[in-house]
Amino acid sequence: MSTPTLKGPYWVTVRQYRRTLWLAGALVLAALAVIGGLRIWDLQTPDVPVEDGYLLPAEDNKAVRLLIFGMEQLSVGMLLLSLLAGAFVAGPLIAREFESGTYKLSLTQSVSPAAWLRAKLLTATAAALATTLALMAVFRIGWGRTSGSWNLQWSDRGPYEASGVVLLAYVLAAVAVGALVGQLVRRTLLAMAVTGLVMGVVALVLGALRWSFLTVKTVTGPRDTTLWTPENGLTMDTGLLTASGARFDESVCWDEVNKAPGLDAMEDGGMKLHEACLTRHGVNAQYVDYHPQSHFWPTQLIETGILLALAALAAYAAFRVLRARHP
């Protein structure tokens, strides 16, 4: 029984970019060594019990602080992973072939243009997804210990992508967009820059819109109490309510205070005027709009669907452009 081996353009692609593949593997191993090592070190120092049976890291536990820092940096790196994948596909993998003319050699080896592009994209996709999955596994090693820390909330940029499935969709979209841009631009550095810019804009737009996909939940309470967001929620908006339940714009009262004569001489800075204004408008409650943590996976799936649609359109366009220029 023979061992499966790569053949034709697949073998050529892997052979041509073997150093890049080794580098990706080395980065994964480095991340594993750092996060895994810090996690093992952290386990050597027992947590300290506090009220209600909770445990907190001991004050002399340097490992957990370093682990939090390492996880923050890893999450940022994973956030940039799709940009790097797209830039590599657009530049060295596709555009440089056209810029140098070496793609003509491949097309003379009984390989059709479609098969040539398909081999490059499938190889790049497999390598990018394998690297992403490996880094996500490394992230999971430290996530259980550091989740909930500053900058490591479930809804934060970086942890949100690294702890779900949407990062895989970003990588797929980046590979497809890179293939399209690489053919359209055909200049290595310019293609890399354009692809990075496109995927950066996509990430920024979806990051700004993702918490608009689902309807927020609202919790209300008296105005003179502290209102906590339930369900480990992501706060989207806070404000005041009148006795009728209508939302009240607090800036109305602050404008009134700022226009009051003799404000600078008031010892309380106008707080009594502010309270009087709220009372006059019947403000007696407050509200918080939030997304509960249960919205994490539905939001992930919606964003993933958008990215997969983008990937499919970009891949289709890439093959259409190739067919039009090299029938």
Side-chain angles (χ1 to χ4, degrees):
M1 186 174 179
S2 60
T3 303
T5 57
L6 295 173
K7 298 180 181 179
Y10 297 93
W11 182 89
V12 172
T13 302
V14 171
R15 181 71 178 172
Q16 188 176 6
Y17 298 101
R18 62 189 183 279
R19 292 182 179 178
T20 303
L21 297 176
W22 281 112
L23 177 61
L27 290 175
V28 172
L29 291 177
L32 177 60
V34 172
I35 301 300
L38 289 173
R39 188 69 182 96
I40 293 174
W41 183 17
D42 169 50
L43 291 173
Q44 308 310 307
T45 306
D47 289 344
V48 178
V50 294
E51 296 179 357
D52 301 325
Y54 288 103
L55 297 174
L56 291 177
E59 292 184 3
D60 60 346
N61 189 347
K62 298 180 180 179
V64 71
R65 293 193 291 272
L66 289 175
L67 180 60
I68 291 173
F69 176 77
M71 288 290 289
E72 290 175 351
Q73 305 312 306
L74 179 59
S75 66
V76 172
M78 295 176 69
L79 192 61
L80 300 175
L81 195 59
S82 63
L83 276 69
L84 295 176
F88 176 78
V89 170
L93 199 66
I94 302 295
R96 189 167 65 182
E97 295 277 332
F98 289 107
E99 188 176 18
S100 62
T102 53
Y103 76 97
K104 297 178 181 178
L105 178 61
S106 299
L107 299 184
T108 61
Q109 306 301 312
S110 301
V111 176
S112 67
W116 169 80
L117 181 59
R118 184 164 55 248
K120 286 187 172 293
L121 291 188
L122 289 178
T123 303
T125 299
L129 289 180
T131 302
T132 303
L133 285 170
L135 288 175
M136 290 173 69
V138 172
F139 188 84
R140 278 291 175 183
I141 294 175
W143 179 242
R145 176 60 164 166
T146 60
S147 61
S149 304
W150 183 255
N151 289 333
L152 289 173
Q153 302 289 332
W154 63 270
S155 56
D156 287 336
R157 295 299 302 267
Y160 169 85
E161 287 83 2
S163 58
V165 297
V166 73
L167 185 59
L168 299 173
Y170 270 105
V171 170
L172 288 173
V175 170
V177 170
L180 176 60
V181 173
Q183 290 188 80
L184 295 175
V185 176
R186 298 196 173 197
R187 293 292 183 271
T188 304
L189 294 179
L190 182 58
M192 294 175 69
V194 171
T195 302
L197 177 62
V198 170
M199 290 308 303
V201 170
V202 169
L204 288 175
V205 170
L206 288 180
L209 295 178
R210 65 171 55 124
W211 300 119
S212 301
F213 297 155
L214 299 176
T215 304
V216 297
K217 291 187 175 182
T218 302
V219 60
T220 61
R223 183 166 63 89
D224 55 353
T225 61
T226 300
L227 196 59
W228 299 99
T229 304
E231 304 177 77
N232 193 23
L234 168 65
T235 300
M236 301 301 296
D237 188 26
T238 62
L240 301 175
L241 297 172
T242 64
S244 64
R247 296 190 175 189
F248 178 74
D249 185 359
E250 192 174 6
S251 64
V252 172
C253 288
W254 286 120
D255 290 341
E256 183 176 316
V257 170
N258 293 330
K259 294 177 181 178
L263 177 62
D264 295 338
M266 297 180 186
E267 295 182 358
D268 63 351
M271 290 304 299
K272 290 183 179 179
L273 292 177
H274 181 263
E275 288 295 322
C277 175
L278 294 179
T279 302
R280 188 169 63 255
H281 285 89
V283 175
N284 62 354
Q286 59 180 320
Y287 71 90
V288 174
D289 290 337
Y290 71 100
H291 283 289
Q293 192 169 357
S294 60
H295 283 185
F296 175 81
W297 282 110
T299 303
Q300 283 260 334
L301 294 177
I302 293 173
E303 189 170 352
T304 297
I306 295 173
L307 288 165
L308 291 180
L310 172 63
L313 289 173
Y316 175 77
F319 279 96
R320 291 288 296 179
V321 170
L322 181 69
R323 187 179 306 170
R325 294 183 174 180
H326 305 279

